[in-house]
Amino acid sequence: MTDNCPSCPQEQIRPIAEQRDDTQVSHLYRCPDCGETWSTNRDLRAYGEAA
């Protein structure tokens, strides 16, 4: 998955780290333009990807 930077117009940023379990995925992002870092937690059931 990709995400958009919350601090600048940069889009489609790939995560620099990922952690998964049966129903959750967490991604860590760092914007290559402004250096902002953020994380997301997504419920894989919402994407039809849960184990």
Side-chain angles (χ1 to χ4, degrees):
M1 291 185 178
T2 61
D3 203 0
N4 299 333
C5 181
S7 296
C8 78
Q10 183 68 27
E11 297 181 348
Q12 304 265 325
I13 299 168
R14 294 197 172 278
I16 59 172
E18 176 180 283
Q19 184 173 359
R20 286 182 177 254
D21 66 22
D22 290 341
T23 61
Q24 297 276 323
V25 63
S26 299
H27 287 121
L28 178 65
Y29 296 90
R30 184 167 197 268
C31 180
D33 284 353
C34 72
E36 178 76 23
T37 58
W38 71 99
S39 63
T40 61
N41 294 307
R42 293 182 172 99
D43 188 329
L44 292 172
R45 296 171 290 192
Y47 296 90
E49 296 181 29

